[in-house]
Amino acid sequence: MSETADRVKKIVVEHLGVEAEKVTEDASFIDDLGADSLDIVELVMAFEEEFGVEIPDDAAEKIATVKDAIDYIDSKQ
Amino acid sequence: MFDLTGMTALVTGASGGIGSAIARALAGQGVRLTLSGSNEEKLKAFAAELGGGHETLVCNLSDPAAVDALVPQAVDALGGKIDILVNNAGITRDNLILRMKDDEWSDVISVNLEAAFRLARAAAKPMMKARFGRIISITSVVGVTGNPGQSNYAASKAGIIGMSKSLGQELASRGITVNCVAPGFIRSAMTDALNEAQKAAILQKIPAGGLGSGEDIGAAVVYLASREAGYVTGQTLHVNGGMAMI
């Protein structure tokens, strides 16, 4: 597992208060992890802070799963 | 009750009549303030009069870029956090609809409504992170009742009420409340300029039999800013001596 994936999963676990084993790369934030749209906004803010990247709104809208987030962040680093 | 010690606030229009009374009331409960307004000299003089080392920031609320920068600047000045945003600044450009110029309409909407939106948007971010926030906007009784000659002003004030209800629903789960205070007739330079006949006509419509004061508005803001008011959101608190019960 990449370092980005570890850090992303840690943020998701902390923010959504879900068990670590549920945060698989295929997990959908809304369907599998119980996030609402405001949680997604907050997760994106937390990713921006953690990785020092800017995630514009049109990119943020496409982030639906844990893998989407990891891939986007990796592509910007 | 209503001890706000340790909280920080940004108040717009802070050197005006109602704005300065709000600032005074918050400072009196222990809030550290950033006072914003358009007139640097008046702001500095008011901050000096208030004492206690409050900050001042000049901002032209009709300039979107300046408005977007105001909350980050205030957060910096306040040591990294903003607990309370008071959207108080407002202007009037009264005219009958048939005579109302495009810029009379757009100036009022941009300062009274759009700036309130921009400031709330900017403040929501640090408030969400802190899991606490109070967004309080000063609207007006005419935003609910309407008033001839004030279609632009009434629209802007009604807009703030609708916006606050939506934001209240969006942000409630994060410990942020969003409310309005709607003053009726408040003693000010504007009401002082009215003649006796005009004053008598106004007073006839006010069951309390007198004009309100800035302190009446300040007290309402203190309540909505308090931790005790955490279960109150999306509301408009009317402070008008009973002239409109809505």
Side-chain angles (χ1 to χ4, degrees), chain B residues 80-100:
Chain B
K81 67 171 193 140
I82 177 167
D83 299 301
I84 307 161
L85 166 66
V86 183
N87 285 314
N88 164 70
I91 58 169
T92 55
R93 297 279 184 273
D94 296 354
N95 219 335
L96 295 171
I97 190 81
L98 292 177
R99 299 197 193 288
M100 187 166 289

Side-chain angles (χ1 to χ4, degrees), chain B residues 126-195:
Chain B
M127 287 176 178
M128 270 167 65
K129 281 191 189 161
R131 291 289 188 271
F132 181 87
R134 298 284 184 259
I135 298 174
I136 302 164
S137 299
I138 308 307
T139 171
S140 167
V141 63
V142 309
V144 180
T145 63
N147 198 27
Q150 291 199 307
S151 55
N152 50 1
Y153 184 75
S156 73
K157 294 301 187 180
I160 287 178
I161 292 173
M163 179 180 80
S164 298
K165 290 177 180 177
S166 298
L167 298 187
Q169 292 179 33
E170 280 184 33
L171 301 173
S173 64
R174 302 305 192 267
I176 303 168
T177 67
V178 188
N179 291 290
C180 297
V181 174
F185 273 103
I186 302 299
R187 215 172 301 119
S188 67
M190 195 181 77
T191 54
D192 287 344
L194 299 171
N195 64 37

Side-chain angles (χ1 to χ4, degrees), chain B residues 1-4 134 223 225-232:
Chain B
M1 271 237 223
F2 312 145
D3 179 8
L4 309 183
R134 298 284 184 259
Y223 166 64
S226 70
R227 290 180 181 85
E228 288 86 346
Y231 202 53
V232 177

Side-chain angles (χ1 to χ4, degrees), chain A residues 15 36 38-42 45 48-49, chain B residues 124-126 128-129 131 170-171 173-174:
Chain A
H15 186 84
D36 64 17
L38 196 57
D39 288 319
I40 305 273
V41 172
E42 286 186 315
M45 274 161 44
E48 288 180 329
E49 211 160 273
Chain B
K125 195 171 174 177
M128 270 167 65
K129 281 191 189 161
R131 291 289 188 271
E170 280 184 33
L171 301 173
S173 64
R174 302 305 192 267

